[in-house]
Amino acid sequence: MTYTIIIDGLFESDKVDEAKRFWNDVVWPSGVHDSYLYAAILKGLCRSGKLHDACDFLYELVDCGVTLCVVNYNIVINGACTLGWKREAYQILGEMRKNGLEPDSVTWRILDKLHGNVEKQFCEDLTCNQQFSHLS
């Protein structure tokens, strides 16, 4: 938990290189890390505009045998979508599935946003709710 706070603080202070060094020199060798810490690093890299670094980090973890969760992948997929990188977003989705994880509703909402369908879906849901409101 303490490492997560430090990593968050470094990224919030735009000290990306220090955060990476802290991970490499202190956190990884300690063996004390979890999905929350991975999420903090991935989020920090994506918010800093370093999506390629976030992808590299994600794939390095997988290569080292770390079990990631859907949230970790969603962070990077969201980073790709924020930049409008459709191909990369779907490549990350493919990697997630290849590693035995299925997309959740958040994953689909992120990808839907990439295609600009969120407002359309909201309107369709609203219309549907209005059509059946008399039944309740």
Side-chain angles (χ1 to χ4, degrees):
M1 184 67 148
T2 304
Y3 289 151
T4 304
I5 293 168
I6 293 169
I7 290 288
D8 270 338
L10 289 169
F11 277 112
E12 288 293 323
S13 301
D14 290 326
K15 296 181 179 178
V16 177
D17 290 333
E18 284 183 46
K20 289 168 144 182
R21 257 192 317 278
F22 185 71
W23 166 260
N24 289 326
D25 297 345
V26 178
V27 181
W28 181 253
S30 76
V32 179
H33 32 87
D34 58 16
S35 287
Y36 296 105
L37 183 57
Y38 308 143
I41 293 169
L42 292 166
K43 195 181 312 178
L45 290 169
C46 288
R47 285 184 179 162
S48 300
K50 302 200 176 285
L51 184 66
H52 291 294
D53 288 350
C55 289
D56 289 345
F57 180 73
L58 187 79
Y59 299 143
E60 280 180 37
L61 290 172
V62 171
D63 289 345
C64 289
V66 172
T67 303
L68 298 173
C69 67
V70 174
V71 172
N72 299 134
Y73 285 94
N74 283 347
I75 290 167
V76 184
I77 292 170
N78 188 59
C81 290
T82 300
L83 295 172
W85 295 1
K86 289 182 183 180
R87 180 180 303 159
E88 288 80 357
Y90 282 100
Q91 284 176 334
I92 298 162
L93 176 66
E95 287 294 319
M96 181 173 86
R97 285 183 156 158
K98 187 176 98 178
N99 290 311
L101 295 171
E102 286 300 315
D104 62 6
S105 61
V106 174
T107 312
W108 295 121
R109 179 64 76 184
I110 292 166
L111 291 169
D112 203 33
K113 198 171 53 175
L114 178 65
H115 296 284
N117 294 328
V118 171
E119 188 174 326
K120 179 182 174 209
Q121 182 63 44
F122 175 76
C123 292
E124 287 174 358
D125 290 347
L126 184 61
T127 303
C128 183
N129 288 338
Q130 288 172 345
Q131 287 175 349
F132 294 105
S133 64
H134 69 280
L135 297 176
S136 45

